[in-house]
Amino acid sequence: MDKFLTFTHINEQGQAQMVDVSEKKSTERTAIAYGEIHMNKAVASGIKNQTIKKGEVLQVARIAGIMAAKKTFELIPLCHVLTLTKCTIDFNWKTDQILIVQCLTKAVGPTGVEMEALTGANIALLTIYDMCKAMDREMKITNVGLLEKSGGKSGHFISASQEVDE
């Protein structure tokens, strides 16, 4: 069988399985995931001025994203339980109405932290939507993806497809 057609989460009988990482070397691993939320002017102003009725949106979204990253193994069935050594959620305005969310995750272990970073970014974005939906049900979450990862056998990866304005 072609090695590119082999799925690591499927055993010889075609059944789902968690990958055995017990023989893999523990290394420091990091990942950065990214996403955007597009909103109307009223929501953007409310977030910037901390006047959204449900509370301080970015602080709640930050905590939600960090909590979600730590619980990724509970949300995605075949993910390993990881001890994150660092998780940050950062926000930057790309334009007056587009907010960038970045989640950085870090751990030392035998498997990567990409799924944790992606989960953290997504939940932070969804929390912003939830807290502001009464003011703008047409908010759009876009451009979610992995920006960068390091550590492990596959080495350093930087996405060529994501454009981030900092």
Side-chain angles (χ1 to χ4, degrees):
M1 179 177 218
D2 187 311
K3 72 176 183 175
F4 295 107
L5 297 177
T6 303
F7 294 101
T8 58
H9 285 83
I10 308 246
N11 68 14
E12 293 80 19
Q13 293 78 37
Q15 300 166 333
Q17 70 176 2
M18 179 184 267
V19 174
D20 183 357
V21 297
S22 60
E23 300 299 318
K24 290 175 73 178
K25 182 180 177 186
S26 284
T27 62
E28 182 176 285
R29 296 159 185 269
T30 61
I32 301 170
Y34 168 90
E36 299 174 358
I37 186 162
H38 301 235
M39 63 197 71
N40 67 30
K41 288 181 183 181
V43 170
S45 176
I47 291 172
K48 291 173 187 173
N49 296 312
Q50 299 181 14
T51 58
I52 300 294
K53 289 182 182 180
K54 287 190 175 182
E56 212 292 277
V57 173
L58 299 185
Q59 291 306 317
V60 174
R62 178 174 283 121
I63 296 298
I66 292 168
M67 288 175 63
K70 292 172 19 176
K71 292 180 172 269
T72 299
F73 73 96
E74 294 177 358
L75 301 169
I76 301 175
L78 301 176
C79 281
H80 292 86
V81 177
L82 299 179
T83 301
L84 294 179
T85 57
K86 182 173 186 173
C87 182
T88 61
I89 304 283
D90 294 308
F91 306 100
N92 293 297
W93 290 95
K94 184 174 183 177
T95 69
D96 287 344
Q97 294 175 250
I98 301 173
L99 182 62
I100 295 170
V101 174
Q102 281 192 0
C103 178
L104 175 138
T105 52
K106 191 176 194 180
V108 175
T111 189
V113 292
E114 299 97 303
M115 296 309 299
E116 288 72 16
L118 287 161
T119 300
N122 275 287
I123 295 302
L125 289 160
L126 288 168
T127 301
I128 294 166
Y129 184 95
D130 180 54
M131 292 187 72
C132 301
K133 67 183 182 252
M135 295 176 67
D136 182 4
R137 294 210 185 266
E138 292 194 18
M139 286 180 284
K140 299 283 187 272
I141 294 171
T142 64
N143 298 326
V144 175
L146 181 67
L147 282 180
E148 187 173 352
K149 74 155 266 336
S150 64
K153 187 171 73 173
S154 63
H156 196 181
F157 163 82
I158 298 176
S159 173
S161 66
Q162 296 285 343
E163 293 183 18
V164 181
D165 297 331
E166 301 209 27

